[in-house]
Amino acid sequence: MEKNQMINVGGNVESAKQGQYSIDIKSVLQEAWSITSQSRLPIIVGILICTVISLFIVFIASQYLGGVENALKDMKAQYIINVLVTLAVSPFIAGIEMMGVFHAVGLKTQPKLVFSFLNKGAVIAICALLSSTLSSLGFNLLILPGIFLLVTLSLTVPLVIEKNMMPIKAIILSVKSLRFQFFKLLAIYGILFMALLLSTFPLLLLFKSGFEIIGAAFLLFALTYLAPLFYNTKGILYREIFGVQLNASEGPIQGDSGNFSA
């Protein structure tokens, strides 16, 4: 193969716009579980990094807004903190999202991928903030529009990174394309959400029993599978709907190919 030869894995943008793709719920979840069983660590470490960054921003912002206790009581302060966290952390979370995409096309990743897209930080942050705001508005108006937007906007960030799109274009494309398979996508995300809820039951059952630590340990253990499963599932969905363009010899075109191997 020539060094610069490009290959496309999965779907493509033009087909996605027309709804010419198929989603098999069972197959997607089975593949996601198989990938997760082999590639949990990079996503887990990436999530821990993002959590530390988020907590640091919350603490610093709270100090400027009258302290943590005041921030917890003040809705305006909470809104400001949420916006700041979204803007600051979304470029790092984008790295986790792309881990799922790369896993879906058979590439290995490393935790440092969370730092690989800071050069697109402003565009990613705007996209994440717009998507979050639209979903929140949908929930404030009526529950159903919020659910619809939450599902159909779920793949906007990978479009910004992998397809090099601007936020508005990525948002429009994501909604336009994902609406065709909305109910199947909702079912997939719903199954993952139910798994998360079930994993909290031991903690709830043991609450104030003196054995809360057992429930908390079970929840944390479950999250080490459920969190990577969520991002790997999104990666598979992105591959099947929009496709992933690869350099045949060097790996993902938009990614830091030095971090991955087939």
Side-chain angles (χ1 to χ4, degrees), residues 101-172:
V101 173
F102 294 146
H103 292 163
V105 293
L107 300 176
K108 296 178 181 179
T109 63
Q110 297 179 16
K112 63 183 179 180
L113 184 62
V114 296
F115 304 107
S116 293
F117 304 104
L118 296 182
N119 61 326
K120 292 187 176 182
V123 179
I124 293 170
I126 291 171
C127 181
L129 184 60
L130 287 175
S131 298
S132 176
T133 300
L134 288 171
S135 297
S136 297
L137 287 174
F139 278 108
N140 289 332
L141 294 174
L142 288 171
I143 298 297
L144 293 180
I147 294 174
F148 175 80
L149 288 171
L150 196 63
V151 170
T152 57
L153 292 173
S154 62
L155 301 181
T156 53
V157 170
L159 285 172
V160 168
I161 297 173
E162 197 269 330
K163 296 290 189 284
N164 203 29
M165 291 185 177
M166 295 305 291
I168 297 298
K169 185 176 181 180
I171 286 171
I172 293 173

Side-chain angles (χ1 to χ4, degrees), residues 172-211:
I172 293 173
L173 175 62
S174 187
V175 173
K176 182 183 292 186
S177 302
L178 270 59
R179 64 189 171 91
F180 291 106
Q181 298 284 340
F182 169 75
F183 290 106
K184 287 187 177 181
L185 294 169
L186 179 61
I188 289 172
Y189 289 134
I191 291 170
L192 295 175
F193 181 68
M194 288 302 297
L196 176 61
L197 286 181
L198 289 173
S199 67
T200 66
F201 279 5
L203 179 60
L204 296 175
L205 291 173
L206 295 172
F207 188 65
K208 292 185 178 180
S209 68
F211 297 97

Side-chain angles (χ1 to χ4, degrees), residues 1-58:
M1 289 186 181
E2 296 179 4
K3 184 175 181 179
N4 294 322
Q5 183 177 352
M6 306 304 176
I7 58 175
N8 188 79
V9 181
N12 62 77
V13 170
E14 292 306 315
S15 295
K17 289 178 181 178
Q18 305 300 321
Q20 296 174 356
Y21 62 89
S22 61
I23 298 294
D24 183 276
I25 298 172
K26 183 179 179 181
S27 295
V28 168
L29 292 175
Q30 284 181 335
E31 182 181 357
W33 178 257
S34 177
I35 292 173
T36 299
S37 65
Q38 303 172 38
S39 59
R40 288 190 300 149
L41 186 59
I43 291 180
I44 292 171
V45 176
I47 290 173
L48 289 175
I49 293 171
C50 290
T51 300
V52 171
I53 295 172
S54 298
L55 291 174
F56 178 76
I57 294 171
V58 169

